[in-house]
Amino acid sequence: MYSNWRIKELKDELRKRGASLRGKKADLVERLELYDQNFNFDRPDKADNEDPKMQLPLSETYRDINSNTILPPLDKTMIRHYLCYTQKKIDTVVRLYESRHLLMARASVVGDNTFVKGYCRKTMKSLQYEVDIVLNINGNPEASHCECPAGSGTNALCKHVAVLLFGIENMVREKILLLQEVCTQKLQQFHVPKKLYTGTPVKVEKFYRRKSNPIFEPYPLKNIKKI
């Protein structure tokens, strides 16, 4: 069967099965025949190992979360039940949120569900992960997903999901969302002196005056030999 195939076709078939592409044509044909005899060595299909994705609304429907945004009544008790975190781990997540690891948060309402999308900064490196959370009308989290290795699937419980949940809870409770500040949000202070002068005023006659330098001749005329 495979002996009539071209080398390119043989390599494409081996590449689909995740097999080695080394060797001559006879080696490639033999390798494919062995794969057929052993039922592809019981390798699962790639489709079975794919990370399940959440059904999210269009990106155009998301709006930035502010004090006028209507959000479900999420509280800390719901967050603890969903994450199943210990108090020590919750304190760690709260410190991450208070240190402004959350970069952005947007929301989209579809029916009775509220979809929240956020970007959370990584702890050690200058990377960011996209986080998606679905809240029902009562505020209970129903699904979550994160781009980090620990946040795969539709029920992610990583710290980035927890940071976004605490951000939503803080917005519901105090109408405040702590996001990472950019350089234009802070008032410039470079013209303000670091230390105030506490000494007595100096009189004008005590100011240092630069002495007038006389004309300096590197080679005085009297030292120059006349020719």
Side-chain angles (χ1 to χ4, degrees):
M1 173 182 176
Y2 297 111
S3 58
N4 297 329
W5 288 23
R6 293 181 297 179
I7 295 179
K8 183 179 182 302
E9 296 174 346
L10 294 172
K11 288 187 176 181
D12 291 341
E13 184 66 23
L14 288 171
R15 191 177 290 108
K16 292 179 182 179
R17 306 188 186 193
S20 176
L21 306 180
R22 295 182 179 180
K24 298 181 180 180
K25 181 177 180 180
D27 299 329
L28 303 180
V29 172
E30 183 182 2
R31 193 171 297 130
L32 281 173
E33 291 176 351
L34 291 175
Y35 265 77
D36 291 342
Q37 293 175 7
N38 293 276
F39 300 100
N40 204 24
F41 293 102
D42 294 330
R43 291 196 176 191
D45 296 335
K46 292 184 179 180
D48 298 337
N49 295 331
E50 289 183 354
D51 186 15
K53 301 295 183 181
M54 295 173 55
Q55 297 295 330
L56 302 175
L58 298 176
S59 58
E60 293 81 5
T61 61
Y62 284 90
R63 296 292 181 268
D64 292 338
I65 296 177
N66 51 42
S67 58
N68 298 324
T69 305
I70 300 176
L71 295 172
L74 177 67
D75 56 18
K76 293 182 179 180
T77 304
M78 298 178 183
I79 297 176
R80 289 191 180 95
H81 288 326
Y82 181 73
L83 298 175
C84 298
Y85 279 7
T86 60
Q87 186 61 38
K88 182 178 180 180
K89 198 168 184 179
I90 288 178
D91 294 340
T92 302
V93 173
V94 171
R95 285 196 297 270
L96 291 177
Y97 170 68
E98 292 177 351
S99 59
R100 298 181 182 271
H101 274 64
L102 188 61
L103 305 179
M104 186 194 70
R106 311 190 76 189
S108 175
V109 180
V110 179
D112 294 336
N113 294 330
T114 301
F115 293 82
V116 181
K117 182 185 294 291
Y119 289 91
C120 187
R121 182 164 53 90
K122 193 175 180 181
T123 308
M124 301 300 294
K125 297 182 180 179
S126 58
L127 299 176
Q128 61 185 24
Y129 294 123
E130 180 179 342
V131 183
D132 293 289
I133 299 174
V134 182
L135 305 174
N136 60 17
I137 192 172
N138 298 322
N140 292 310
E142 292 188 346
S144 57
H145 177 78
C146 181
E147 289 182 338
C148 71
S152 60
T154 58
N155 190 22
L157 302 177
C158 62
K159 58 185 177 182
H160 309 106
V161 172
V163 168
L164 182 56
L165 285 173
F166 275 101
I168 300 170
E169 187 273 335
N170 194 20
M171 174 59 74
V172 172
R173 179 168 45 89
E174 299 182 0
K175 298 297 181 181
I176 296 175
L177 185 62
L178 299 179
L179 300 177
Q180 185 182 22
E181 293 183 348
V182 296
C183 59
T184 55
Q185 290 181 271
K186 297 180 180 180
L187 185 64
Q188 56 88 7
Q189 300 287 335
F190 62 84
H191 68 287
V192 179
K194 296 182 179 179
K195 295 182 180 179
L196 296 177
Y197 181 74
T198 57
T200 57
V202 181
K203 295 182 179 181
V204 178
E205 56 268 17
K206 292 185 179 181
F207 282 169
Y208 173 77
R209 295 182 180 180
R210 183 179 297 177
K211 297 180 180 180
S212 58
N213 295 328
I215 299 176
F216 176 73
E217 292 289 344
Y219 301 102
L221 295 177
K222 62 180 180 179
N223 295 335
I224 298 177
K225 295 182 180 181
K226 295 182 180 180
I227 301 176

